[in-house]
Amino acid sequence: TPVLTVRGLRKRYGDQVALDGVDLDVDAGEVVAVIGPSGSGKSTLVRCVHQLEPIDDGAMYLDGELLGHRRTGARLRVLPEKAVAAQRRRMGMVFQQFNLFGHRTVRQNVVDPPVLVHGTPRAEATARAEELLATMGLSDHAGKYPRQLSGGQQQRVAIARAMATRPRIMLFDEPTSALDPELVDEVLRVVRDLAAAGTTMLLVTHEMAFARDVADRVVFMAAGRVVETGPPAELFTDP
Ligand code: ADP
Ligand code: ADP
């Protein structure tokens, strides 16, 4: 069973079609990069997978379990909010903007989700946080507040925070697009390390070279559809 399955996903904003029947699988340990022009539906796709947006049609499965909105005949059945919240907890999401809690330290930002949301013992969550912060080169900043860090450091904290709950899949929505150019590489390096460690991920990016290097598979979207998918070597032809 793939970790994530998307079938016939459709999403409109008013008259604007954002997703026009998307099919996608992400297998365990696989890194799938989603690329394509602005407005092609990449962000909408990951937001729908994370159940931040209601969908209009189709079905999504996490480890074979139906997510969020279920198709019954021609109608969609919406799962109870509690069930959706439980499903969302099994995914880690990283946004363009870092979405950290400004009044919590770096360490607290990483310790809080497992403790408060999953009921993980604090000692265990703290050990995990220290380990994640160390691998991301953030140990020296653990006691600081987000505003004391650079954008690249904050985004690395956000990645550590999302990883803290040991998600089944990591979802990234253009994680470097809000960063100054000189800070992009330090964030990509962390994502690359997670990929090398076998983290399952669905990654929206406009960093083509990065997608080519790191992805097992690239999904090219245009106008709300997957127009091509394959290993990077097939999708990118060398100049
Ligand atoms: P991408 O991530 O590839 O740039 P998006 O998923 O952000 O594309 O957008 C897909 C389409 O949906 C675009 O036409 C965009 O204008 C539209 N769209 C996205 N979000 C909204 C929204 N909240 N309200 C209205 N239209 C939206
Ligand atoms: P709070 O006091 O808000 O409950 P937590 O107990 O959630 O803070 O903090 C999470 C972990 O981080 C705990 O192990 C705590 O001891 C540690 N910690 C919190 N703030 C700091 C800090 N400024 N410097 C070092 N360790 C901290």
Side-chain angles (χ1 to χ4, degrees):
T1 319
V3 173
L4 176 70
T5 301
V6 174
R7 288 292 176 267
L9 182 60
R10 290 178 194 281
K11 170 73 181 170
R12 272 178 287 103
Y13 293 100
D15 291 341
Q16 178 66 51
V17 176
L19 297 175
D20 190 18
V22 169
D23 298 319
L24 179 76
D25 290 310
V26 183
D27 289 325
E30 198 178 22
V31 176
V32 175
V34 182
I35 62 173
S38 178
S40 59
K42 307 180 298 294
S43 176
T44 303
L45 173 62
V46 289
R47 292 175 60 79
C48 285
V49 169
H50 198 50
Q51 296 158 296
L52 296 169
E53 303 275 359
I55 66 175
D56 294 318
D57 201 0
M60 301 178 290
Y61 304 85
L62 185 65
D63 290 320
E65 180 191 315
L66 194 59
L67 282 183
H69 303 80
R70 164 178 187 176
R71 192 169 185 207
T72 39
R75 296 179 50 216
L76 293 165
R77 204 189 85 195
V78 179
L79 297 185
E81 192 51 45
K82 256 182 123 167
V84 171
Q87 292 176 335
R88 195 181 284 134
R89 275 182 229 132
R90 286 153 54 194
M91 306 181 225
M93 175 102 181
V94 177
F95 301 88
Q96 286 181 27
Q97 299 298 337
F98 323 123
N99 291 40
L100 296 171
F101 286 94
H103 61 290
R104 303 289 283 162
T105 64
V106 165
R107 181 185 289 102
Q108 288 166 341
N109 265 280
V110 183
V111 170
D112 282 348
V115 170
L116 301 179
V117 182
H118 290 245
T120 304
R122 180 168 296 274
E124 185 184 325
T126 303
R128 166 97 174 141
E130 301 295 353
E131 190 185 306
L132 283 165
L133 291 173
T135 59
M136 294 180 191
L138 292 165
S139 295
D140 292 347
H141 305 290
K144 294 183 186 169
Y145 287 87
R147 66 174 175 278
Q148 298 173 280
L149 305 186
S150 73
Q153 290 168 333
Q154 288 186 58
Q155 189 60 305
R156 283 184 281 147
V157 176
I159 295 170
R161 178 179 165 88
M163 285 291 293
T165 53
R166 303 183 187 277
R168 291 290 297 147
I169 186 168
M170 284 286 285
L171 309 171
F172 292 88
D173 186 4
E174 302 261 19
T176 60
S177 61
L179 298 174
D180 293 334
E182 71 272 18
L183 302 178
V184 167
D185 280 348
E186 65 185 65
V187 172
L188 293 182
R189 202 174 311 126
V190 164
V191 179
R192 190 187 300 265
D193 289 347
L194 294 180
T199 310
T200 306
M201 46 177 112
L202 181 62
L203 169 82
V204 173
T205 184
H206 59 261
E207 301 285 340
M208 295 299 165
F210 180 73
R212 173 168 38 193
D213 288 352
V214 172
D216 298 305
R217 202 149 48 80
V218 173
V219 166
F220 187 80
M221 289 187 70
R225 305 180 135 250
V226 173
V227 293
E228 256 194 286
T229 179
E234 280 176 23
L235 251 76
F236 299 105
T237 38
D238 284 314

